[in-house]
Amino acid sequence: MSGHALSGGDRAAVAAVSVAVVLVAVTVAGAFAMPASAAVADGHYQATNETSSASSDWTAPGPFNISELRTGGDQISSGGSQGPPESTRMLPTGGIVLKYLPLNPAQSSYQPLGRNQALRTDYLLAYTSAFGESVGDYEFVVVFWQERTTSVNGTQQTYAANQTVQRISFEADSGYSASKLKLQSHYDQQWQATAWLEQDGSRVEGARWRFAHQTNPLTASPAYPTNSKGDLWRWGALNLIIPAICGIMFSGASAKHILSRTILGTLKGVSYWAGVVAVVIGIAAIVGTWQTSIILANAPIAVGILMGLLALPVMLSIRDSDLSKAGFFQRKLRQGAISPSGDETVGTRRVPNKIKSVYRHGDQLYAPIAGLRPMLARYWADPAKIPTEDWKSYDSGEGDLDQLFEVDPESDKVLRHKPARLKFSPTLTKEVDEEDLADPPEGEGIAALPAAISAAVSNWVTRRNWRFIGIALGGGAAVYLGTVAALGSSIIGLGLAMLPALIEGHEARDGSLEVDWGPSHWNDVQAQVQTERHEYEERKTFDQVLQAVTELEWSDHEKGQQIVDRVRTEIQKALDDEHGGNNPSTNLSPSSPQQGVDADD
């Protein structure tokens, strides 16, 4: 089957889409790239110790009491409004301040962390000023917890539930230095956080902070630190721009292969796919926010590839504008409708017809229908088509219809069109010939029971559709494990694990396009009859004119003959008067036949 050559407009459209995807990749690279953490020892654990509460017979879970976790550290005192930031804490011989990068795109500099502030990013920057004994290794300890209330012996007790401890190691160099700290992500809800510093296993007095934490997906990090704009562009190029270009190239090759089998795309147009993409992005942003963020954090390259794949629907639509309209007409025969003379009156007649959107490709005429499922059906099954060599009674149209086909007047239907289709019919069983089934035992009683059970089990196993079961379960498990390993998302893995069962459960059925063509001479006969009728009318008009001319000439001849006869009669009378009534022997009587002259004359 020959390929489809792209026109200039098609190439321009594909190029425009490709450039737009790359530009989006560059933009997203700048939006998603955030500084990564420095050496992070993420040794968080679920605490199981217990602390006594106000009630003598009840202890709250967790290693820390809620009253301790509610307190923050001591800010360095200042004598005026120009004092140190609110998050500044003292070291033995120096100080430390925590800063964060706001989500506001217009805010590009780090801001001090406020008391009890709701932090929406996973990254903190620890600015230190250390001298003497303050220089060295530190641990930034964060306890994430949720405030809960329970009733104990009729008394309401508030405690810190679901305590999780995270330890982050960093080094304070002599003088001024900055260290990047990455907190563990919390996408589902907001958590309370209490943090402090430890040096050599002991807490640093007064170095303590309180804040709330919930991760925004836009702050998902790249896999390595970005300390400069060069690092940012490197991350964006490796994770977004280059994968997007590869995705565009893959989309082009995939579209060429798919169109070689489906001939046309979904016939929905670019606007339809733009709406679908918008809905998918909206669902991903609203419903699966935390899962989307996990993908951004673990495999940001997947986002770049996905942006490149957005060009695939556009490339599949390049042939949609090449559809044409074809009309199939069935002119019923009518005996004695018109005589060659055209004198008989003619009544109207019904002409059944069908108008179809068709596409001529190679030596075939295809009649596809719009939709994603019909396109997938055309990939797996034969589409509805008519070979051009079978065409009969074909005319090219000028106007709303590009092609016209004459259907046999004796046919029951004008057109029989059944497009290729997908039918979802998953089944756990299959039909088996009786010859392949085990026969039940001939005997009866207890002695025949083992053989009967064996035959029943064998027949049950034989009737199972093990192909569908194996693909649905085995393929689903493989897809799930691969997705979790690559993206770290169990929910997305469960969704993709259903694809093998959905694909195997569908059955592709071939399409058909059948026409009972009119006789090959039908159009020629019609044209011949019409031509002969026209020629007959022309001959009839000529005969009428000839008869009129003949009648006119004969009338003038009669009038001249009458004048001659009258003159001859007058001459005869004059001769008779002059010679005394002697009749000459010459016969001057009018010749026969004579018309219009009286006998007495």
Side-chain angles (χ1 to χ4, degrees):
M1 183 175 295
S2 61
H4 178 76
L6 295 180
S7 63
D10 295 336
R11 294 192 183 94
V14 174
V17 172
S18 302
V19 172
V21 170
V22 173
L23 292 178
V24 171
V26 174
T27 305
V28 175
F32 282 153
M34 293 290 294
S37 65
V40 175
D42 190 5
H44 73 277
Y45 56 88
Q46 183 66 35
T48 57
N49 297 335
E50 297 182 347
T51 303
S52 300
S53 66
S55 177
S56 59
D57 56 353
W58 180 79
T59 55
F64 305 104
N65 191 283
I66 189 172
S67 59
E68 178 186 2
L69 296 176
R70 281 175 171 173
T71 60
D74 299 327
Q75 179 185 358
I76 297 178
S77 60
S78 60
S81 60
Q82 300 300 323
E86 188 177 0
S87 60
T88 304
R89 301 292 185 268
M90 287 295 296
L91 297 177
T93 53
I96 180 173
V97 59
L98 295 182
K99 293 187 177 183
Y100 72 100
L101 187 64
L103 295 180
N104 185 358
Q107 192 77 32
S108 59
S109 60
Y110 282 83
Q111 302 297 315
L113 181 67
R115 183 184 298 272
N116 296 325
Q117 180 174 341
L119 186 64
R120 301 303 181 188
T121 177
D122 290 345
Y123 299 93
L124 290 173
L125 207 58
Y127 287 92
T128 58
S129 174
F131 304 94
E133 60 179 313
S134 295
V135 177
D137 295 330
Y138 288 86
E139 276 193 324
F140 185 76
V141 183
V142 187
V143 179
F144 297 101
W145 53 279
Q146 295 174 321
E147 184 174 319
R148 293 288 185 268
T149 303
T150 185
S151 178
V152 180
N153 297 328
T155 303
Q156 296 293 325
Q157 299 290 341
T158 302
Y159 65 98
N162 304 323
Q163 296 182 24
T164 303
V165 180
Q166 180 183 10
R167 295 178 176 270
I168 307 174
S169 299
F170 71 97
E171 182 180 0
D173 297 330
S174 179
Y176 296 97
S177 62
S179 301
K180 299 167 186 177
L181 313 176
K182 181 181 183 310
L183 307 177
Q184 65 185 58
S185 301
H186 297 97
Y187 297 109
D188 50 352
Q189 57 183 320
Q190 181 171 286
W191 288 65
Q192 298 298 318
T194 304
W196 60 82
L197 283 184
E198 290 185 2
Q199 186 180 30
D200 299 329
S202 301
R203 297 189 184 183
V204 178
E205 185 67 26
R208 188 181 183 89
W209 296 267
R210 275 277 291 116
F211 56 91
H213 181 241
Q214 184 176 11
T215 307
N216 187 294
L218 294 178
T219 63
S221 73
Y224 52 85
T226 54
N227 299 315
S228 64
K229 290 184 178 180
D231 292 338
L232 177 63
W233 279 106
R234 179 182 63 177
W235 180 87
L238 294 178
N239 292 278
L240 295 177
I241 300 176
I242 294 179
I245 295 175
C246 294
I248 292 174
M249 297 174 63
F250 178 79
S251 296
S254 300
K256 182 178 180 180
H257 168 71
I258 293 173
L259 290 177
S260 68
R261 297 175 62 95
T262 64
I263 308 304
L264 291 167
T266 60
L267 304 177
K268 291 292 188 179
V270 178
S271 59
Y272 168 82
W273 285 108
V276 170
V277 171
V279 171
V280 171
I281 293 177
I283 294 175
I286 298 174
V287 179
T289 300
W290 62 96
Q291 299 298 322
T292 306
S293 302
I294 290 174
I295 294 177
L296 288 173
N298 295 336
I301 190 174
V303 179
I305 295 175
L306 179 61
M307 288 191 297
L309 292 179
L310 295 180
L312 178 59
V314 178
M315 296 180 180
L316 289 176
S317 304
I318 59 176
R319 292 182 179 175
D320 292 357
S321 60
D322 296 335
L323 281 178
S324 59
K325 292 290 186 180
F328 297 82
F329 299 93
Q330 184 183 37
R331 306 180 190 276
K332 296 293 186 180
L333 294 178
R334 197 172 52 208
Q335 301 296 333
I338 300 177
S339 66
S341 64
D343 294 334
E344 299 182 13
T345 58
V346 184
T348 60
R349 60 177 176 177
R350 296 175 62 87
V351 181
N353 63 84
K354 291 284 187 181
I355 307 297
K356 288 290 182 181
S357 296
V358 296
Y359 178 75
R360 184 172 180 176
H361 183 69
D363 57 351
Q364 303 286 342
L365 182 71
Y366 298 89
I369 61 175
L372 179 59
R373 283 172 59 88
M375 187 196 75
L376 296 177
R378 293 195 298 273
Y379 183 86
W380 300 108
D382 291 336
K385 60 185 178 180
I386 301 177
T388 54
E389 61 184 11
D390 294 343
W391 290 6
K392 298 178 182 178
S393 305
Y394 164 72
D395 289 317
S396 59
E398 182 178 353
D400 295 336
L401 295 179
D402 302 296
Q403 301 166 84
L404 297 92
F405 298 93
E406 197 77 37
V407 180
D408 188 352
E410 303 297 333
S411 177
D412 296 334
K413 291 186 177 180
V414 177
L415 183 68
R416 289 179 292 276
H417 180 210
K418 186 177 292 184
R421 59 210 178 277
L422 289 177
K423 184 178 181 181
F424 186 63
S425 56
T427 175
L428 299 178
T429 61
K430 62 181 180 180
E431 295 186 5
V432 181
D433 296 336
E434 293 295 333
E435 301 174 354
D436 298 332
L437 298 177
D439 297 329
E442 297 180 357
E444 297 181 358
I446 300 298
L449 184 59
I453 294 176
S454 176
V457 172
S458 176
N459 293 340
W460 185 88
V461 172
T462 303
R463 289 191 176 98
R464 296 310 98 186
N465 187 359
W466 293 110
R467 171 185 170 85
F468 175 76
I469 295 173
I471 293 178
L473 298 181
V479 171
Y480 173 78
L481 294 177
T483 303
V484 173
L487 304 180
S489 172
S490 59
I491 293 181
I492 296 178
L494 289 174
L496 295 179
M498 299 174 61
L499 291 179
L502 291 175
I503 294 174
E504 180 62 23
H506 278 87
E507 177 184 357
R509 300 188 176 182
D510 294 338
S512 63
L513 186 62
E514 299 177 0
V515 180
D516 293 331
W517 299 105
S520 59
H521 60 278
W522 176 252
N523 280 349
D524 296 336
V525 170
Q526 283 188 322
Q528 183 177 353
V529 171
Q530 190 71 18
T531 301
E532 291 181 354
R533 181 180 299 156
H534 181 68
E535 292 176 353
Y536 178 85
E537 291 295 334
E538 290 181 348
R539 288 197 303 269
K540 179 181 176 182
T541 302
F542 176 77
D543 292 342
Q544 290 176 346
V545 172
L546 181 60
Q547 183 178 359
V549 173
T550 303
E551 292 178 354
L552 179 62
E553 292 178 352
W554 182 252
S555 176
D556 293 340
H557 175 73
E558 289 182 340
K559 290 182 179 180
Q561 186 64 40
Q562 290 176 2
I563 294 174
V564 171
D565 292 342
R566 188 183 300 275
V567 171
R568 185 178 294 156
T569 303
E570 292 295 333
I571 292 174
Q572 183 64 38
K573 290 176 63 177
L575 291 175
D576 290 344
D577 293 340
E578 182 179 354
H579 296 285
N582 294 328
N583 292 325
S585 59
T586 305
N587 184 12
L588 298 178
S589 61
S591 60
S592 180
Q594 296 292 333
Q595 298 180 8
V597 181
D598 295 337
D600 296 339
D601 295 337

